[in-house]
Amino acid sequence: MNTLTTLAYDGPGPWILFFPLIWAAVVIGAVTVLRRTVWRGRRGPWQARGAAYGEQSPIAVLGRRFASGEIDEDEYWRRLSVLDEQFGPASKGGAA
C-alpha cells in the first residue's frame, strides 16, 4: 500500500513538457492559417510592393505609352524584352 501512495505523489514527470509543445503547435498553426488566408492581401507600409508590380512600374508605363501611341509596336516589344529580363514576365506587371 505504501508503494501506491508514493507513486501517486511523484510529481507530473517529464510528460508535463508535452503541453507547452501542444500550445506552441496550436499558435504556430493559427498564425500560419491566418497568414495564408486573411492576412495575405494586406501589407503594411514597411512591406511595399516591388517596383515591377506597381502602377508606376516600368512595364506598366511602357504599356501605357504603347496604348497612347507614343511608341510603335516594334519599339514596344524591344523595350519589353529588356524589361522582362530585369523585372520578370510582363503578365505580372500589367503591361498592355
Side-chain angles (χ1 to χ4, degrees):
M1 182 79 164
N2 193 13
T3 307
L4 291 175
T5 56
T6 45
L7 289 177
Y9 294 103
D10 274 345
W15 59 270
I16 194 73
L17 299 174
F18 189 62
F19 288 111
L21 293 176
I22 291 174
W23 280 110
V26 167
V27 169
I28 290 171
V31 168
T32 301
V33 167
L34 287 173
R35 286 187 71 197
R36 292 184 179 262
T37 57
V38 178
W39 296 337
R40 182 169 219 153
R42 298 180 185 164
R43 292 179 174 266
W46 61 90
Q47 296 174 328
R49 297 181 119 193
Y53 305 113
E55 196 174 293
Q56 298 297 321
S57 72
I59 295 176
V61 171
L62 181 66
R64 284 194 297 275
R65 287 185 64 197
F66 176 65
S68 68
E70 290 180 39
I71 58 174
D72 63 349
E73 186 177 0
D74 293 332
E75 181 75 9
Y76 171 77
W77 287 114
R78 186 173 59 79
R79 291 183 182 203
L80 184 63
S81 66
V82 172
L83 290 174
D84 277 344
E85 290 175 8
Q86 184 176 4
F87 294 104
S91 61
K92 289 183 183 176

